[in-house]
Amino acid sequence: VLDLYDNQASPILQGYFDAAGALHLSQPLMARNIESIRHASQFPGGDCGAKVNAADADLGATYGEIWVSQNCGLAWTTPVVLSSGHYLRFIQGGTYTSTQVTTLGTNNSGLIGIGRGSVTLQEANSQSLAGFITAPTGNTNTTITGITIDCNATNNTGTSQSLGCVNFTSPVSLNIHDATVQNWYGWTGN
């Protein structure tokens, strides 16, 4: 039998191999990265937005995905800025609430959920952001799929929000499917 402990000051048993060689874990095994996938929850940062940015920086110029689960956190206070070639993939359902703007990369970037209604990215109360989800002018191959974007208009009634919940200027190619944009201030077509 071989016991596996973490590397904390006071080690905690994480699992063991039994006499037959089978591995038994006390909690799920999490890898920081697998090839071009980064698990945001495994990166440093004060909130999930900061962890996403750290994972984005770790990918560098490599095309890849940053996976987000509830382990990363549901309340975000750091603006998220994705580089070109990076996709933010939500691998667990829930309502992820942010006080800040999420900016997608110029080329080949986007938001991917597990299904509209299962994953919601919601603007927090009393923010009234001019653009909750944005992309640079002329962005190409931007994808938004499997997600609900909720601009929370009832709780965000400032005049700046009327400029746009999802704000893309002159996109070259924008791929949106299985997605909902709702509660957009001043817009009647949810």
Side-chain angles (χ1 to χ4, degrees):
V1 174
L2 173 65
D3 292 338
L4 303 171
Y5 289 87
D6 61 15
N7 62 355
Q8 305 286 330
S10 298
I12 298 171
L13 181 66
Q14 298 297 307
Y16 63 93
F17 288 98
D18 64 21
L23 175 61
H24 301 270
L25 298 172
S26 58
Q27 59 186 8
L29 183 63
M30 294 296 293
R32 181 174 166 148
N33 59 293
I34 301 171
E35 300 290 332
S36 61
I37 296 170
R38 302 295 184 266
H39 291 270
S41 65
Q42 302 302 302
F43 284 83
D47 72 310
C48 191
K51 292 175 182 185
V52 166
N53 291 336
D56 183 84
D58 188 66
L59 273 172
T62 303
Y63 277 78
E65 294 185 357
I66 300 161
W67 287 10
V68 173
S69 67
Q70 291 183 17
N71 290 338
C72 190
L74 293 171
W76 304 6
T77 57
T78 302
V80 170
V81 180
L82 292 179
S83 299
S84 291
H86 298 175
Y87 292 85
L88 191 59
R89 182 180 292 271
F90 294 83
I91 62 170
Q92 186 177 24
T95 299
Y96 298 83
T97 304
S98 180
T99 62
Q100 300 294 324
V101 173
T102 295
T103 303
L104 305 179
T106 303
N107 301 305
N108 303 306
S109 187
L111 303 172
I112 302 170
I114 58 173
R116 177 178 44 172
S118 296
V119 174
T120 300
L121 187 55
Q122 182 181 58
E123 183 175 338
N125 293 347
S126 303
Q127 300 308 305
S128 300
L129 301 170
F132 181 47
I133 308 296
T134 66
T137 300
N139 58 300
T140 59
N141 297 324
T142 300
T143 299
I144 297 177
T145 186
I147 194 167
T148 298
I149 298 170
D150 183 353
C151 284
N152 194 9
T154 303
N155 298 300
N156 288 293
T157 57
T159 57
S160 65
Q161 194 185 31
S162 64
L163 297 174
C165 172
V166 177
N167 193 353
F168 297 154
T169 306
S170 304
V172 174
S173 60
L174 180 59
N175 309 302
I176 300 176
H177 55 93
D178 188 31
T180 299
V181 178
Q182 64 188 20
N183 300 320
W184 190 331
Y185 177 75
W187 187 46
T188 58
N190 285 343

